[in-house]
Amino acid sequence: MNYIKCLFVILLLSLQGCDEKKVEQSNFHMNQGIAFIAALEGSDSTDGFQKLLKNAEIEFGQAIELNPSNHLALMNRGVVYITMGKLNKAELDLKKSVEISPKHPDANYNLACLYSLTNKLDFALEYFDIALKNGFNDYSRIREDSDLSNLREYEGFKKILEANKVFL
């Protein structure tokens, strides 16, 4: 009986090690994706820009494959999809990211941006409010982000700002 218990414990520990290794590999791919995103600003050509986006998409995808609950990889791939114009895919990733981490301010903000871009302004306002309530405080981004242009013109935007004590 002790022999079976020992084998079971060894099996559990080895499986835990595998999970930890997958999480570590997932984080590596996510960081690679972020590096590709960071390189976008230095891209001189449209082709170079598109290649960097595609590489970021691949890296975030590998991170998600290794760790499906990596909400940051989902969020970042969602933002890449927005940039690529793949708005349906962006919505799936951003909603999944928010589902995994409902109070993450950046995930909610990015979902608000997507809904603003797609003229789903009630949803945009809802997620924008959640982002603010959970600590989103990049006020210059709120003022300047072109993704929020539709939302800034929408009724209720100023009320949400006031309710969250945000004065731009």
Side-chain angles (χ1 to χ4, degrees), residues 64-76:
I64 295 161
E65 188 175 315
L66 287 162
N67 180 9
S69 65
N70 188 333
H71 71 96
L72 295 174
L74 283 158
M75 178 188 71
N76 283 301

Side-chain angles (χ1 to χ4, degrees), residues 52-98:
L52 289 168
L53 274 179
K54 185 65 179 166
N55 287 335
E57 175 190 11
I58 290 167
E59 291 294 338
F60 292 135
Q62 289 175 337
I64 295 161
E65 188 175 315
L66 287 162
N67 180 9
S69 65
N70 188 333
H71 71 96
L72 295 174
L74 283 158
M75 178 188 71
N76 283 301
R77 188 173 70 175
V79 172
V80 167
Y81 283 150
I82 289 172
T83 307
M84 296 171 114
K86 298 178 179 181
L87 301 182
N88 290 334
K89 287 184 173 190
E91 183 177 17
L92 292 173
D93 277 359
L94 291 171
K95 284 174 70 174
K96 180 76 174 175
S97 177
V98 166

Side-chain angles (χ1 to χ4, degrees), residues 8 10 16 39-40 49 61 70 90 97 109 111 139 150 158 161:
F8 184 71
I10 290 170
Q16 181 181 6
L40 288 173
F49 188 86
N70 188 333
S97 177
Y109 177 83
L111 195 50
Y139 303 125
N150 291 332
K158 290 180 181 170
L161 290 176

